[in-house]
């Protein structure tokens, strides 16, 4: 049962969508160059940067996997957010890696690698970034659609139609206005999203109460729901893998780094990092509380009533929200979640598209392209990514923990790119052999884990007997080992050449 | 609201909610100004001198 009222709540959602598309289209006339399209002419200041980064890094997918984390792991499910908040704060204060990266004046990370490791490493880096990024993003539409189906209460057969309509709206303003439209709509989306998140959180705390949240975690997860290393907790493998993922994402997650590149200067970029750091904890903690509340308030019968083949731990939160959020507020919640999703989709399509254009296509260009031609190809690439998302989202059978899928796919490139960036900035001995070894080993481990997970149902291979967290952690260890061994093996004569 | 023996998570949750509420209002005001200045600068750079 849902409280979504077609007139009251539908009007709120319609008004929000109209305002977003108008705002996104209004700035398109300022896009005359590829630099405007990809990095907004590097004119972004601190507060717009905070709004944009926060809106980009919170989509319906984020809300769903963090709530699933709260539902299945208790308070410990918020640990990745706390780890990233610490990483953002430290990196922002010290300028570790992001200082040299912003000063270099590049548009993407692989562009920086070309200066140090050569054009082949730039291309290979671009390839793993795009593969990891698109696989990661591939599930966003379906999971977002599942949330909307549960909260709004429309028929599940509409899911594909809603996903397609949402994507077309996002594509219209992203293709025409690029990063400028993304920044302006991000701002609007940040305000709507934050208002919705906070109002719903207060409603939930009022409905459940802190004491019941604590009791639920004590009953379901025991001490492991409060401390990851205690009995019943996810253990060391989770802590180690998540630490690696969050540090690497802080340094090299393309949509985050895109804000650094779009910032007016290095100082502004670093301030955006420090001032957004708490948000990275909040984006896990707040929906995590929603997930725990769902566990507290839903009965086994409620979960059994979910459509066959769906994951109860994933759909518990939206099912609970549909019941607890009243008429009028459901409209705000849906607008907030659409805002969150649209800002994430637009930004992610633009940033992965930027890497395809700048690092994968660029080496095959014969001579420099005009700004008009460059803009045409950037826009075409964004449309092609949109089509890919639609089809991938439709056929990929998502099973199990969404956050584990996201971190494994992200690690296809996060593992090696973070190692390459640190080595590029701070290790003189690093060279192309080490870089190539790090990329192959860092990407290989998560890809093998994802493929074996589908084909080796008997767990005959050693890797499928390990937990995904250990496999993920190994990707970072192997990438670091590959960089060190590969760099030391290359003859010093070849290094100087 | 009482921490119920789990002060760490109570403090984390309270801090996140209070910080987020404050920052939303602050960024909503200052971010609008940033957009205006950014668009003015871009418009100025488009004009032929």
């Amino acid at each position: 049962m849902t409280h979504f009222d077609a007139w009251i709540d539908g009007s709120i959602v319609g008004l929000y969508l109209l305002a977003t598309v108008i705002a996104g289209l209004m700035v398109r006339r300022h896009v005359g160059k590829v630099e405007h399209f990809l990095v907004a002419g590097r004119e972004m200041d601190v507060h717009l940067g905070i709004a944009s980064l926060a809106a980009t890094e919170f989509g319906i997918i984020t809300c769903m996997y963090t709530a699933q984390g709260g539902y299945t792991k208790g308070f410990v499910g918020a640990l990745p957010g706390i780890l990233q908040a610490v990483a953002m704060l430290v990196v922002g204060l010290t300028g570790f890696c992001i200082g040299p990266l912003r000063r270099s004046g590049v548009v993407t990370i692989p562009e920086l690698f070309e200066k140090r490791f050569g054009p082949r490493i730039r291309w290979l880096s671009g390839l793993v970034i795009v593969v990891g990024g698109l696989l990661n993003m591939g599930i966003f539409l379906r999971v977002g659609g599942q949330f909307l189906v549960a909260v709004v209460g429309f028929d599940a057969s509409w899911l594909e139609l809603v996903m397609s309509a949402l994507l077309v709206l996002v594509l219209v303003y992203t293709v025409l206005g690029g990063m400028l439209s993304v920044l302006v709509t991000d701002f609007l989306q940040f305000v709507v999203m934050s208002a919705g998140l906070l109002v719903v959180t207060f409603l939930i705390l009022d409905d459940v109460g802190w004491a019941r949240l604590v009791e639920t975690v004590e009953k379901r997860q025991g001490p492991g729901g409060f401390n990851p290393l205690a009995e019943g907790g996810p253990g060391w493998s989770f802590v180690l893998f998540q630490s690696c993922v969050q540090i690497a994402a802080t340094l090299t997650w393309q949509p985050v780094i895109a804000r650094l590149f779009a910032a007016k200067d290095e100082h502004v970029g670093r301030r955006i990092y420090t001032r957004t750091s708490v948000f990275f904890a909040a984006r896990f903690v707040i929906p995590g509380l929603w997930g725990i509340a769902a566990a507290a308030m839903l009965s086994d019968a409620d979960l059994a009533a979910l459509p066959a083949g769906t994951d109860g731990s994933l759909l518990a939160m939206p099912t609970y929200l549909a019941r607890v959020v009243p008429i009028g507020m459901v409209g705000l919640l849906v607008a907030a979640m659409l805002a969150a999703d649209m800002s994430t989709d637009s930004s992610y399509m633009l940033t992965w598209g930027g890497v395809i254009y700048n690092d994968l296509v660029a080496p095959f260009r014969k001579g420099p392209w005009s700004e008009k031609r460059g803009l045409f190809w950037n826009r075409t690439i964004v449309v092609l990514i949109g089509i890919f998302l639609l089809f991938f989202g439709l056929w990929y059978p998502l099973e199990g923990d969404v956050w584990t899928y996201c971190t494994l796919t992200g690690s296809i490139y996060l593992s090696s790119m973070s190692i390459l960036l640190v080595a590029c900035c701070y290790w003189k001995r690093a060279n192309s052999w080490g870089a190539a070894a790090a990329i192959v080993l860092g990407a290989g481990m998560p890809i093998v884990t994802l493929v074996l997970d589908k084909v080796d149902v008997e767990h005959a291979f050693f890797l499928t007997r390990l937990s995904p967290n250990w496999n993920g952690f190994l990707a970072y260890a192997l990438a670091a080992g590959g960089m060190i061994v590969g760099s030391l093996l290359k003859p010093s004569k070849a290094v100087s050449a | 609201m009482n921490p119920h023996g789990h002060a760490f998570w109570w403090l984390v949750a309270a801090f996140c909610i209070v910080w987020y509420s404050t920052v939303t209002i602050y960024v909503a005001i200052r971010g609008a100004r940033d957009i205006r200045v950014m668009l003015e600068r871009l418009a100025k750079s488009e004009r032929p001198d």
Side-chain angles (χ1 to χ4, degrees), chain A residues 253-265:
Chain A
W253 189 241
Q254 197 63 32
V256 175
I257 290 297
R259 269 69 202 161
L260 178 75
F261 293 144
K264 271 165 57 181
D265 52 42

Side-chain angles (χ1 to χ4, degrees), chain A residues 296-314:
Chain A
M297 304 304 278
L298 293 182
S299 65
D300 290 341
D302 294 325
L303 295 175
L306 291 173
T310 53
D311 185 346
S313 67
L314 189 64

Side-chain angles (χ1 to χ4, degrees), chain B residues 6-17:
Chain B
H6 292 284
F8 174 76
W9 288 110
W10 185 87
L11 283 171
V12 167
F15 180 64
C16 285
I17 293 169

Side-chain angles (χ1 to χ4, degrees), chain A residues 111-456:
Chain A
E111 196 180 336
L112 175 74
F113 293 160
E114 183 176 15
K115 295 178 183 180
R116 180 70 190 272
F117 303 122
R120 287 178 183 169
I121 295 299
R122 175 181 180 176
W123 198 85
L124 200 56
S125 299
L127 183 67
V128 289
I129 286 176
V130 169
V131 170
L134 291 183
L135 284 177
N136 182 278
M137 195 190 175
I139 61 167
F140 287 13
L141 280 176
R142 174 161 289 279
V143 176
Q146 286 177 338
F147 175 92
L148 294 172
V149 166
V151 172
V152 178
F154 53 63
D155 195 276
S157 61
W158 285 26
L159 192 144
E160 282 80 13
L161 193 67
V162 172
M163 283 161 62
S164 308
L166 193 65
L167 187 68
V168 169
L169 274 182
V170 175
L171 272 174
V172 166
Y173 68 76
T174 309
V175 164
L176 292 174
M179 183 59 102
L180 272 174
S181 287
V182 167
L183 290 180
V184 173
T185 52
D186 274 359
F187 170 73
L188 188 65
Q189 287 155 350
F190 171 79
V191 175
V192 175
M193 171 187 99
S194 304
L197 281 180
L198 289 165
V199 167
V200 171
T201 303
F202 289 123
L203 276 174
I204 288 175
L205 286 175
D206 183 55
D207 184 51
V208 186
W210 181 261
R212 188 148 183 203
L213 293 177
V214 170
E215 283 164 19
T216 303
V217 175
E218 278 171 347
K219 191 174 151 192
R220 288 168 58 89
Q221 285 88 23
F226 301 92
N227 176 356
L229 305 179
E231 191 187 346
W236 274 110
S237 63
F238 180 74
V239 176
L240 287 171
F241 179 40
Q242 292 306 322
S243 301
C244 291
V245 169
Q246 301 312 330
I247 293 168
T250 299
L251 297 177
T252 59
W253 189 241
Q254 197 63 32
V256 175
I257 290 297
R259 269 69 202 161
L260 178 75
F261 293 144
K264 271 165 57 181
D265 52 42
E266 180 199 340
H267 181 61
V268 167
R270 285 173 58 178
R271 282 170 71 197
I272 292 170
Y273 263 60
T274 51
R275 294 188 184 189
T276 320
S277 59
V278 181
F279 177 79
F280 283 86
R283 76 180 183 136
F284 271 77
V285 171
I286 290 175
L289 294 177
W290 298 7
I292 299 170
M297 304 304 278
L298 293 182
S299 65
D300 290 341
D302 294 325
L303 295 175
L306 291 173
T310 53
D311 185 346
S313 67
L314 189 64
L315 292 182
M317 180 272 289
T319 306
Y320 167 62
L321 289 189
R323 289 183 187 184
V324 76
V325 182
I327 292 177
M329 290 297 164
V330 184
L332 180 63
L333 170 68
V334 173
M337 288 298 122
L338 285 177
D341 215 43
M342 291 168 82
S343 56
T344 305
D345 290 347
S346 60
S347 193
Y348 275 46
M349 284 194 290
L350 188 69
T351 46
W352 308 132
V355 174
I356 293 173
Y357 172 80
N358 200 49
D359 303 309
L360 292 183
V361 176
F364 299 104
R365 288 197 304 235
K366 289 173 184 168
W369 281 1
S370 66
E371 294 290 348
K372 197 177 170 187
R373 197 173 181 192
L375 280 172
F376 169 78
W377 277 107
N378 269 291
R379 286 169 167 150
T380 305
I381 290 166
V382 172
V383 171
L384 291 174
I385 291 175
I387 294 169
F388 162 80
L389 289 180
L390 206 56
F391 284 100
F392 186 87
L394 288 178
W395 70 258
Y396 185 81
L398 183 65
E399 293 157 355
D401 189 59
V402 177
W403 176 239
T404 303
Y405 172 85
C406 288
T407 47
L408 272 177
T409 48
S411 293
I412 289 172
Y413 88 84
L414 285 176
S415 54
S416 54
M417 292 303 102
S418 53
I419 300 291
L420 259 70
L421 182 62
V422 174
C424 177
C425 295
Y426 302 107
W427 192 34
K428 287 182 181 171
R429 189 75 175 82
N431 56 49
S432 59
W433 283 23
I439 292 171
V440 171
L441 291 170
M445 196 66 182
I447 290 174
V448 168
T449 304
L450 286 164
V451 173
L452 282 183
D453 188 51
K454 297 284 176 212
V455 298
D456 180 28

